[in-house]
Every structure is written in C-alpha cells, then in structure tokens.
Amino acid sequence: MDKANLILIVLLGSTVSLMGTMIGASLGVVIKKPSDRLLGAIIGFAGGLMLSIVVFDLIPSAMENWNFIGTLLFCLIGIITIIIIDTKINISHSSFSENKHIKVAFMAALGLMLHNLPEGVIMGCGFLAGESLGLKMSLIIAIHDIPEGIAVSAPLMVSNVKISKILLYAFLTAFPTAVGTWIGAYIGSISQNVLGACLAFASGIMMYVVCGEMLPESNKLWDGITSSIGILTGIMLGLIMTKVL
C-alpha cells in the first residue's frame, strides 16, 4: 500500500470514529442524564448492526482471503484477547466508588481507549479488504461510539466539569482509533493471508463485544421491547448494508 492511501484510510477511519464519540459526548452534555430506555435502544441497535455485519460480511471476507481453520483459530484468539482486556478493565473499575463521578468517568475513558485501539485495527483491515467493507465497519463503529461518548460525558456533567474540558476528554478517548487504523492498514497490507488473519481476529473481538457486553447491557438497561426492537432493527439494517454497499 502506498503512503497516500494509508494516510487516507487513517484519516477517514479516525474522522468517522471521532464523529460517533463526539456526538455521544454532545448528547451527554445536552441531556445530562439520558434515560435507560434510550441508552438501551442505542446500544441494542449498535450491537445488532455489528453482529449482522460480522456474520454476513466480515467473517466471509476473512475466509475469502484465507482459509476456514485459520479464520476459526484467529477468531478465537481475538475473543480471548478482548476477554483479557475486558477483565483487566473490570478489575480496575471495581476499585472505585460509583458515587465518585469523576473517577467513574476516568475509568470509563480508560476502558474506551483500550477498546478503541482494536476498533481502529478493524477499520484498517476493512478498508484493505474492500472500500465498501471499510465504510460499513466505520459506520457501525461510529454508532457504537455514541453511547461510549455519553458514558464519558454524563458523569462529568454531574460533577460540574466545564463543557470544553468534557469534549476534550471525549476527543482524547477516540484518539487510539487512529493508531489502531494505521496498525490494521499496515499489517493487513503485508499479504492476503495476513489480511485474512486480521479480519478473523477483528471478527472475534467484535463478536465478544456484541454478545458479551452490548446485548446484555442493552437488556440490563431496559428489560423491555424497546431494546429488542433496537437489536432487531440493527440486524435488519446490517443485512441491507451488506446487500447494498
């Protein structure tokens, strides 16, 4: 891959992810305390959309560039990797009191920064596999980042932190995505096998994030039809995107 295309991929992926995070941060600033029903619907929608793209697009692309056994193996490695990261974040988060809003926001931001790095890798690999797949991955990650932006900004609003600082902190949490996009685009360009491995690795990460975090969190926030509709709408939109883009 030439340098110009690499820079373009990094800029596009970073901009899309930043848009999602900043939209979420802005909603957190404006709404201050978004309802559990709204958050459940947004997270459910993003989870359904992500699951649909992984199953119907990302994994098939990995197998086209590689083989079934390799795809399955690296998918499993991706799942194990994100489980380890998630476990470390949960241990750190549990050491703080939930009433200390600034500390809660700090730990949320730290966790999101760790999650945004592999998200960037996913986008970088997606663009290498094809422009349409890269655009799909960028869009669903941007939607996924909206509740993440809210998670950072809402506790800070309760603590009366200046809005300018809140938006700055939200911006910083999205920065690792740019690093991850560069890594994904660079490593994936080495060969078709490496690209297939990266796509499979990314699939494992996304499947765990959806099934282990987003869908349970959506139902936990609002155990009603709104979350279910959000999930199903996301899946259906993912199918449409797979067909159209």
Side-chain angles (χ1 to χ4, degrees), residues 31 51 59 81-82 84 93 102 110 127 132 139 168 170 173 183 219 225 244:
I31 302 174
L51 184 62
I59 291 177
T81 301
I82 199 66
I84 293 171
H93 190 92
I102 292 179
L110 180 62
F127 276 109
S132 63
L139 178 60
L168 174 61
T173 62
I183 293 172
N219 289 321
I225 194 171
V244 174

Side-chain angles (χ1 to χ4, degrees), residues 90-97 107:
N90 287 336
I91 290 173
S92 299
H93 190 92
S94 65
S95 63
F96 291 98
S97 169
M107 293 311 302

Side-chain angles (χ1 to χ4, degrees), residues 46-63 71 75 79 122 133 136-137 140-141 198-211 214 234-235 237-239 241-242:
L49 180 61
M50 190 179 292
L51 184 62
S52 184
I53 296 296
V54 168
V55 172
F56 297 112
D57 209 340
L58 195 59
I59 291 177
S61 294
M63 289 192 288
T71 298
C75 205
I79 292 171
I122 293 167
L133 181 57
K136 292 171 195 172
M137 303 315 300
I140 63 173
I141 286 173
C198 290
L199 290 171
F201 182 77
S203 298
I205 290 174
M206 292 180 71
M207 281 195 293
Y208 176 80
V209 170
V210 172
C211 298
M214 297 180 72
I235 292 174
L237 180 60
L239 282 169
M241 289 173 61
T242 301

Side-chain angles (χ1 to χ4, degrees), residues 6-213:
L6 180 61
I7 293 174
L8 182 62
I9 288 173
V10 172
L11 287 176
L12 183 58
S14 304
T15 301
V16 172
S17 175
L18 178 62
M19 285 173 57
T21 302
M22 296 311 291
I23 288 171
S26 300
L27 286 173
V29 167
V30 173
I31 302 174
K32 295 184 181 179
K33 289 186 177 180
S35 68
D36 288 344
R37 175 182 286 186
L38 174 61
L39 287 176
I42 293 175
I43 294 173
F45 174 77
L49 180 61
M50 190 179 292
L51 184 62
S52 184
I53 296 296
V54 168
V55 172
F56 297 112
D57 209 340
L58 195 59
I59 291 177
S61 294
M63 289 192 288
E64 283 179 12
N65 287 279
W66 208 14
N67 57 69
F68 176 74
I69 298 300
T71 298
L72 194 63
L73 177 61
F74 270 76
C75 205
L76 181 61
I77 293 173
I79 292 171
I80 293 172
T81 301
I82 199 66
I83 285 175
I84 293 171
I85 293 174
D86 192 48
T87 302
K88 296 297 183 182
I89 292 170
N90 287 336
I91 290 173
S92 299
H93 190 92
S94 65
S95 63
F96 291 98
S97 169
E98 290 296 325
N99 294 324
K100 298 177 180 178
H101 301 295
I102 292 179
K103 289 183 178 180
V104 170
F106 172 77
M107 293 311 302
L110 180 62
L112 296 177
M113 290 177 78
L114 291 174
H115 275 101
N116 284 339
L117 183 64
E119 284 181 359
V121 174
I122 293 167
M123 282 193 289
C125 293
F127 276 109
L128 279 180
E131 289 184 8
S132 63
L133 181 57
L135 289 172
K136 292 171 195 172
M137 303 315 300
S138 298
L139 178 60
I140 63 173
I141 286 173
I143 295 172
H144 171 231
D145 285 347
I146 291 176
E148 293 186 351
I150 295 174
V152 174
S153 63
L156 294 176
M157 280 299 295
V158 175
S159 300
N160 296 317
V161 176
K162 289 183 179 180
I163 293 177
S164 58
K165 287 187 176 181
I166 293 174
L167 295 178
L168 174 61
Y169 296 150
F171 175 84
L172 292 176
T173 62
F175 180 74
T177 308
V179 179
T181 305
W182 183 86
I183 293 172
Y186 180 77
I187 294 177
S189 64
I190 295 174
S191 71
Q192 288 296 105
N193 286 342
V194 173
L195 176 58
C198 290
L199 290 171
F201 182 77
S203 298
I205 290 174
M206 292 180 71
M207 281 195 293
Y208 176 80
V209 170
V210 172
C211 298
E213 295 182 2

